[in-house]
Amino acid sequence: MTDATRPTRVFLDAGGRAPVLPAAREAFLQALDEGWADPRRLHSEGRRARLLLDGAREAIAAAVGARAEEVDLHGSHTLALHAGVRAVARGRRRAGRDLVVSAVERAAVLEAAAFSAAQPWGGDRGRRVDVPVDRLGRVDLNAWAAAVGAPGVAVAALQHASGEVGSTQPVEAAHDLARRSGVPLLVDAGASLGHVPVGGSWDVLAADPADWGALGGVGVLVTRAGVRRATDWPEDEDRWSPGGVSVPAALAAAVALQDALRTAPSDEGRRRDLVRRVRERVAAEAPDVEVVGDPEGRLPHVVTFSCLYVDGEALVGELDRLGFAVGSGSACTSSALEPSHVLAAMGVLTHGNVRLALPRDVRAEDVERFCDVLPGAVAKVREALGVQGL
């Protein structure tokens, strides 16, 4: 294929690692010059780095309605989730050892909850209680109420919205139910913050700057004053996020968040219309394909569908060959050929899963072109598997 005929690359996989915003890139480069020193040092260079780091924490705190001292920065979103679950679970070990989670939480939350429940703090062990969801991916509030209302619960966790299928959760109602039982709620806003309002119905909030257009290497954890927590890791000068975090990356995260929030109202409407268009065309034009997630109560930029008789990895590869970078919520990874736990919990098709997470600068004509080529790509993969015409 010549350069003249090679398809233009279209990036439609901005979930969890979006293209870096120009403002974030500029802030990062500036901080490389001014904030490269260790912010724990007492010399001028160290104090200057500390000022930049403190400014980043203050900006993030203001964006989520918190105080700067409530914000901890970690090396990744996964580390922030692990720290949040583990620290609160250990801090509240006298109140209980069980941890309540929805069945569609990120693997990082599920594994951290299982890890914390298994620790023999005080000789007792707890359990991870998974609350079921409906076919739209929304948590069952009756089951949630029973789970958080049971004796011996240390902490509950619920995502604000699913980065895999886009459905938002009834976080306000879930928080109210947990609060009635005196159980703190950790909300994972990793797929939401910077795209839609997150609100204040949380006791611990985790977020992912790479998802809103910052560089990787930073995770945000905000813990309300009054939430008991204790470390289950070795002592460090930075108690809650051992080793600290890159000052340039932290500043870029704060600047990117401010920029993302500034443009979110206009970005949201445009991307929501494009997602609606994808959902309509895929359902109408691609046979034996199930579009999953709530059609209305959802993130504005995420859309997921699953294709019967299709290998997800093969379909992602075929779309990549055609010039489209897409994700798979799915089905398989290179290391574990297992169906998506999110799709399985929803009771929907797990085969041939494709997830689009539209970047802010996505063009409508590129989305339409994706919809044009998708039915042929699905047919080609089915043909290769010998299942065409079924």
Side-chain angles (χ1 to χ4, degrees):
M1 182 179 292
T2 67
D3 289 341
T5 59
R6 192 181 303 277
T8 302
R9 296 291 303 172
V10 178
F11 186 75
L12 302 175
D13 188 23
R17 190 58 66 91
V20 177
L21 294 174
R25 186 190 307 275
E26 182 179 347
F28 182 83
L29 293 175
Q30 180 181 355
L32 283 179
D33 293 331
E34 300 180 9
W36 53 268
D38 187 339
R40 296 171 295 184
R41 304 300 188 191
L42 299 180
H43 46 60
S44 296
E45 290 80 2
R47 293 199 303 272
R48 186 161 57 242
R50 185 69 201 186
L51 285 173
L52 292 176
L53 182 58
D54 288 344
R57 294 173 66 233
E58 288 170 3
I60 292 170
V64 300
R67 297 183 296 181
E69 57 267 29
E70 296 174 329
V71 176
D72 295 308
L73 299 177
H74 296 263
S76 70
H77 183 217
T78 296
L79 288 173
L81 289 170
H82 285 176
V85 171
R86 291 162 57 190
V88 178
R90 189 165 192 266
R92 285 180 41 81
R93 61 193 181 278
R94 291 188 178 88
R97 293 302 321 280
D98 293 345
L99 296 92
V100 173
V101 298
S102 84
V104 292
E105 296 303 302
R106 294 177 195 264
V109 172
L110 297 179
E111 294 301 327
F115 173 88
S116 296
Q119 300 309 300
W121 298 321
D124 297 325
R125 286 180 170 84
R127 61 197 178 103
R128 189 187 81 192
V129 180
D130 295 3
V131 179
V133 299
D134 61 21
R135 285 185 65 86
L136 299 179
R138 188 160 290 112
V139 71
D140 182 330
L141 282 176
N142 289 329
W144 177 267
V148 297
V153 176
V155 61
L158 181 65
Q159 60 191 201
H160 183 268
S162 171
E164 185 166 330
V165 301
S167 300
T168 53
Q169 295 286 357
V171 171
E172 185 174 352
H175 183 238
D176 184 58
L177 290 167
R179 184 168 49 190
R180 293 180 195 176
S181 299
V183 175
L185 176 66
L186 185 154
V187 170
D188 175 10
S192 302
L193 189 59
H195 302 284
V196 294
V198 171
S201 296
W202 50 269
D203 301 294
V204 183
L205 183 76
D208 184 6
D211 189 84
W212 66 62
L215 292 88
V218 182
V220 173
L221 187 69
V222 189
T223 308
R224 299 283 194 197
V227 176
R228 297 183 66 88
R229 53 181 178 158
T231 63
D232 69 347
W233 50 82
E235 285 296 321
D236 185 81
E237 185 176 351
D238 191 335
R239 182 181 182 189
W240 300 115
S241 49
V245 70
S246 161
V247 173
L251 185 64
V255 170
L257 180 56
Q258 292 174 325
D259 195 53
L261 293 176
R262 178 180 58 81
T263 62
S266 58
D267 288 338
E268 178 181 350
R270 190 176 70 88
R271 290 192 292 173
R272 197 175 291 278
D273 288 343
L274 291 174
V275 162
R276 188 176 295 112
R277 179 66 171 160
V278 172
R279 291 179 64 90
E280 291 171 353
R281 286 198 60 184
V282 169
E285 299 172 22
D288 297 311
V289 171
E290 182 179 12
V291 184
V292 301
D294 194 313
E296 298 299 331
R298 60 182 302 100
L299 293 171
H301 62 299
V302 175
V303 58
T304 301
F305 51 88
S306 299
C307 310
L308 193 61
Y309 312 125
V310 168
D311 176 78
E313 187 175 348
L315 181 55
V316 169
E318 175 61 17
L319 290 168
D320 186 61
R321 187 187 68 81
L322 294 170
F324 296 93
V326 303
S328 180
S330 147
C332 304
T333 67
S334 59
S335 59
L337 299 179
E338 299 178 355
S340 159
H341 73 276
V342 172
L343 301 178
M346 293 168 61
V348 299
L349 183 65
T350 61
H351 297 182
N353 182 258
V354 169
R355 181 196 63 199
L356 307 186
L358 306 183
R360 286 177 171 80
D361 61 353
V362 66
R363 302 190 309 170
E365 54 265 38
D366 288 334
V367 172
E368 293 289 355
R369 187 157 61 87
F370 171 82
C371 294
D372 291 340
V373 306
L374 177 67
V378 172
K380 183 172 182 178
V381 172
R382 286 176 176 160
E383 182 179 2
L385 294 174
V387 293
Q388 70 273 27
L390 293 181

